[in-house]
């Protein structure tokens, strides 16, 4: 397992706080695909007993971000090209479902909710900060699903968005030009806010299909791991 610098958590912290830290480490690539997680080691790093760490790890196993191998331990999942396709297939279903709820009376609210992430993407793109743009990209899609007002869609989307960042890994983005990434999201936001409903549906579907095409192209390159 990679050497990781975790800040100690408060002794009153819950297993969910530890799970959040581990999710973040997996998403950022600090914990890499295939890394083994040791219960005792993590408990020492977080300065907590093993109980909350064990519970946090089991939560991530149930979410599909970790997997347990009998008599070996718990590991960060590895993602294949087929996983990339499946992740985006699931995201398309979830975000399309969210969009239908949004189009049914939540358009103004969603347009406003998507504004901060667009502003962040624009700022980071102007400085060439690909990681910052990717963070804002994820925030955009989180806000999109959240705006639908469905807690179940939000829960379903959370793990998929983390897996999306795992797919990107060190690439941070598959866009050759960060401004293009921003423009796609601006167009989608405007369509959601006031454009024809069918245009919003089309732009979202094309956005997801394009992402799969870009990722497939990049992960198939000999020097690029999944």
């Amino acid at each position: 397992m990679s050497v990781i610098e975790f800040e100690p958590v408060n002794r009153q912290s819950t297993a969910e706080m530890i799970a959040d830290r581990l999710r973040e480490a997996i998403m950022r690539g600090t914990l890499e695909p295939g890394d083994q997680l040791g219960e005792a080691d993590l408990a020492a790093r977080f300065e907590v007993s093993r109980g909350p760490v064990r519970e946090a790890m089991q939560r991530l196993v149930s979410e599909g971000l970790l997997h347990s191998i009998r008599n070996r331990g718990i590991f960060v999942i590895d993602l294949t090209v087929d996983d990339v396709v499946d992740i985006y297939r699931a995201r398309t279903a979830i975000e399309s479902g969210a969009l239908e709820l949004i189009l049914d009376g939540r358009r103004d609210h969603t347009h406003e909710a998507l504004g901060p992430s667009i502003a962040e993407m624009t700022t980071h793109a102007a400085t060439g900060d690909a990681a910052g743009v990717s963070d804002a990209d994820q925030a955009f899609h989180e806000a999109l699903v959240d705006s639908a007002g469905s807690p179940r869609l939000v829960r379903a989307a959370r793990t998929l968005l983390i897996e999306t960042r795992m797919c990107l890994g060190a690439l941070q983005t598959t866009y050759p030009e960060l401004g293009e990434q921003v423009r796609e999201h601006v167009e989608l936001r405007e369509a959601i806010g006031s454009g024809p409903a069918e245009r919003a549906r089309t732009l979202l579907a094309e956005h997801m299909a394009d992402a799969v095409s870009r990722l497939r192209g990049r992960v198939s390159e000999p020097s690029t791991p999944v």
Side-chain angles (χ1 to χ4, degrees):
M1 185 174 71
S2 302
V3 176
I4 311 161
E5 293 298 327
F6 284 122
E7 293 181 5
V9 296
N10 187 288
R11 293 185 185 279
Q12 302 303 313
S13 296
T14 63
E16 183 56 41
M17 290 183 66
I18 296 173
D20 285 344
R21 302 276 185 89
L22 294 175
R23 286 190 200 96
E24 182 75 10
I26 292 170
M27 182 181 72
R28 299 290 178 191
T30 310
L31 286 172
E32 299 178 352
D35 278 350
Q36 183 174 9
L37 275 64
E39 189 178 293
D41 176 63
L42 289 175
R45 290 174 183 271
F46 286 122
E47 296 186 2
V48 297
S49 64
R50 291 191 180 193
V53 172
R54 185 180 307 118
E55 182 180 343
M57 290 167 66
Q58 288 305 317
R59 291 188 187 197
L60 269 62
V61 168
S62 68
E63 292 173 12
L65 295 176
L66 302 177
H67 68 109
S68 178
I69 301 178
R70 188 184 179 97
N71 298 323
R72 287 189 57 197
I74 294 179
F75 300 81
V76 179
I77 60 168
D78 283 299
L79 295 173
T80 66
V81 174
D82 286 342
D83 289 323
V84 171
V85 176
D86 195 46
I87 289 164
Y88 273 91
R89 183 184 297 120
R91 278 190 58 186
T92 300
I94 290 168
E95 295 190 33
S96 294
L99 179 60
E100 291 306 313
L101 294 174
I102 289 165
L103 294 173
D104 186 22
R106 303 178 70 88
R107 300 182 75 166
D108 289 344
H109 166 74
T110 303
H111 185 267
E112 182 177 353
L114 296 175
S117 57
I118 291 291
E120 285 290 317
M121 290 180 74
T122 301
T123 298
H124 290 300
T127 61
D129 180 4
V133 172
S134 288
D135 286 343
D137 186 325
Q138 176 161 320
F140 178 98
H141 289 277
E142 288 176 347
L144 174 65
V145 177
D146 187 60
S147 294
S150 170
R152 289 169 180 80
L153 288 179
V154 170
R155 287 199 299 270
R158 180 174 64 174
T159 297
L160 293 169
L161 286 167
I162 294 173
E163 288 181 324
T164 299
R165 289 302 299 272
M166 291 177 68
C167 290
L168 289 172
L171 293 174
Q172 297 297 347
T173 181
T174 57
Y175 288 81
E177 206 272 306
L178 294 177
E180 181 182 350
Q181 188 171 357
V182 177
R183 284 191 294 273
E184 277 193 16
H185 289 81
V186 169
E187 289 178 2
L188 179 55
R189 180 190 181 222
E190 293 310 310
I192 289 171
S194 58
E198 193 56 38
R199 174 166 170 75
R201 295 186 185 102
T202 298
L203 285 176
L204 179 61
E206 290 177 347
H207 179 63
M208 291 298 185
D210 184 56
V212 171
S213 178
R214 291 176 188 274
L215 277 166
R216 269 181 155 168
R218 294 300 295 271
V219 300
S220 64
E221 295 173 5
S223 60
T224 305
V226 179

